[in-house]
Amino acid sequence: MVETHTPEFTLLMPCLDEAETLAACIRKAQSCAERLGLDAEVLVSDNGSADGSPEIARQCGARVVRAEERGYGAALMAGIEAARGRYIIMADADESYDWSALDGFVEQLRAGGQLVMGCRFPQGGGVIEPGAMPKLHRFLGTPLLSGMARLFFGCPVTDINCGMRGFAREAILGLELRATGMEFASEMIVKASLAGLRIRETPITLHPDRRTRPPHLRTFHDGWRHLRFMLLYSPRWLFLVPGLLLLAFGVLGFALILPGRLRIGGIEFDVNTLLVCALSILLGAQCIAFGIFAKVFAISERLLPDDPLLRRLFTRIKLEAGLLLGAGIGCLGFLLLLGGVGYWAWHDFGKIPYPVGLRIVIPAVTCITLGAQVVLSSLFLSILGMKRK
């Protein structure tokens, strides 16, 4: 007989060899649901356990779904898709999160929150019991990633890596989450912020997990995956901001050094520094172009939401404008180069002072290269902007 009942809540536990602690987590979740009067199901998303975890879950009265693809994110997505509840509260099944204390999540979800994050840190009202979190995670990893999430994406959270969270099922399914590993936790909050979901936070207590085996989390490997995800999802901070800084440094250096050598204190800046400034200009321009490429591609693939500013920019600035700008910059470089040849001819094609010659050649080569970059970037952007079926 097909199950037709639709509960209000699904209490979701991803599981991979959690036989030691799974039954206790299920009992706590069931007891909490009874205490709060929730219409709820307990769902275990098993990720290939070999220790009898699925059988334990069924014996405790939980529903079990099999996640065929390995990975933390894959297990959670299988559970989210199989969940019957309007709201889902998820947490690990290792007793590090207290399944008997779901009050804050229930209250915030019923009040209209679409994603309710647990907060383990004292600054958000949470508690981390001794031994519950490695010091590297507590004082560096999680605060760093949470700060980046707030800066890059405006995520209104204190603890981006908290594995205990609640959400409206349909709202999260609409985000089209793709990560299969530990970075799934970051993807959910980043995409929720970009999509404008109503995000709330509730304090929780983190306990030492009760397992005797080592945890699945690998500090540096999984930390890098979280960091990489946030950088790749933020072309502005990965490419555009560094590119603008490099470009500004190079242009400022040109303005100060091109007329003649510059002395600051006992340090003298001359054509060697001018060459470094030229490099800075070219690298900056390339980074800016890559930032725009990445943004356009991510929007076209629905990895990022539409950007009205970028859309208006493309509406007003056509391919021809980019080609003309690049050609103009390149022509300026050729004119400078011709001027250099003329200066050389004026000296009967003999030896000319080293700094003088480079003050002509470096700007000329920089303009020619920069013009070519603008032309090629404009052509590639035009390709990216083509409508695909």
Side-chain angles (χ1 to χ4, degrees):
M1 183 175 178
V2 178
E3 177 66 59
T4 58
H5 175 63
T6 302
E8 183 183 15
F9 285 89
T10 292
L11 310 181
L12 174 61
M13 303 178 190
C15 175
L16 176 59
D17 295 328
E18 307 288 2
E20 292 179 291
T21 55
L22 182 58
C25 289
I26 293 173
R27 285 194 293 268
K28 287 180 180 179
Q30 291 168 335
S31 175
C32 184
E34 183 177 354
R35 175 176 63 82
L36 297 175
L38 301 182
D39 181 8
E41 65 167 351
V42 177
L43 176 63
V44 173
S45 181
D46 186 69
N47 206 206
S49 296
D51 64 350
S53 291
E55 291 73 23
I56 293 173
R58 293 188 185 96
Q59 291 170 7
C60 291
R63 185 161 67 93
V64 178
V65 62
R66 170 80 175 185
E68 298 297 335
E69 187 175 0
R70 295 299 289 265
Y72 176 75
L76 284 170
M77 274 310 302
I80 293 169
E81 290 169 355
R84 296 174 181 145
R86 176 185 175 188
Y87 301 115
I88 298 174
I89 300 175
M90 57 169 263
D92 297 339
D94 58 5
E95 291 196 88
S96 58
Y97 296 110
D98 190 354
W99 276 103
S100 65
L102 306 179
D103 309 53
F105 294 96
V106 172
E107 180 182 347
Q108 295 275 22
L109 288 169
R110 285 177 171 172
Q114 293 174 295
L115 173 59
V116 181
M117 295 290 300
C119 179
R120 303 166 292 181
F121 286 84
Q123 54 265 44
V127 176
I128 302 175
E129 292 189 345
M133 183 185 293
K135 291 183 178 180
L136 187 62
H137 296 190
R138 180 171 183 175
F139 298 108
L140 179 61
T142 300
L144 175 63
L145 292 173
S146 298
M148 290 177 63
R150 291 191 294 272
L151 176 64
F152 289 6
F153 309 102
C155 300
V157 296
T158 308
D159 184 8
I160 190 176
N161 286 339
C162 183
M164 191 173 197
R165 53 186 73 180
F167 46 86
R169 178 177 180 272
E170 292 303 319
I172 295 303
L173 284 176
L175 299 178
E176 299 182 6
L177 303 178
R178 302 184 182 188
T180 59
M182 286 292 182
E183 69 272 27
F184 179 88
S186 294
E187 183 185 20
M188 180 186 289
I189 183 64
V190 165
K191 283 192 170 181
S193 296
L194 292 174
L197 297 190
R198 295 183 296 276
I199 301 173
R200 307 287 186 267
E201 210 169 40
T202 187
I204 65 168
T205 298
L206 182 68
H207 307 270
D209 73 66
R210 302 291 192 265
R211 298 170 299 191
T212 57
R213 63 165 176 78
H216 299 299
L217 182 66
R218 292 170 290 175
T219 297
F220 293 102
H221 179 268
D222 292 320
W224 164 243
R225 292 181 70 168
H226 282 279
L227 178 61
R228 180 185 64 185
F229 172 85
M230 284 197 283
L231 289 173
L232 292 177
Y233 262 71
S234 181
R236 175 190 303 172
W237 292 96
L238 181 59
F239 297 115
L240 190 58
V241 171
L244 288 171
L245 291 174
L246 284 168
L247 186 63
F249 171 80
V251 170
L252 178 63
F254 258 55
L256 294 175
I257 301 171
L258 194 58
R261 65 183 63 183
L262 174 69
R263 179 177 291 275
I264 300 177
I267 303 175
E268 187 174 272
F269 300 94
D270 205 346
V271 288
N272 292 327
T273 308
L274 194 64
L275 187 59
V276 174
C277 292
L279 175 65
S280 182
I281 289 174
L282 296 176
L283 285 178
Q286 196 64 56
C287 284
I288 292 170
F290 267 85
I292 299 173
F293 297 159
K295 185 82 170 183
V296 171
F297 178 77
I299 291 172
S300 68
E301 292 296 313
R302 294 189 296 175
L303 299 174
L304 291 176
D306 188 30
D307 188 328
L309 178 61
L310 193 63
R311 189 171 1 101
R312 288 197 299 271
L313 187 66
F314 274 100
T315 301
R316 296 177 182 178
I317 301 177
K318 303 296 184 182
L319 167 64
E320 291 76 14
L323 296 179
L324 287 173
L325 175 63
I329 296 173
C331 286
L332 175 61
F334 278 111
L335 289 174
L336 290 172
L337 208 55
L338 286 174
V341 173
Y343 181 80
W344 187 26
W346 187 55
H347 285 77
D348 298 323
F349 297 103
K351 185 177 180 181
I352 58 176
Y354 171 76
V356 174
L358 286 183
R359 274 190 167 79
I360 300 173
V361 173
I362 290 175
V365 171
T366 301
C367 286
I368 293 170
T369 308
L370 184 59
Q373 283 184 340
V374 172
V375 168
L376 295 175
S377 297
S378 299
L379 291 169
F380 188 60
L381 276 174
S382 181
I383 295 171
L384 283 180
M386 288 181 178
K387 294 187 181 295
R388 286 173 283 179
K389 295 183 178 179

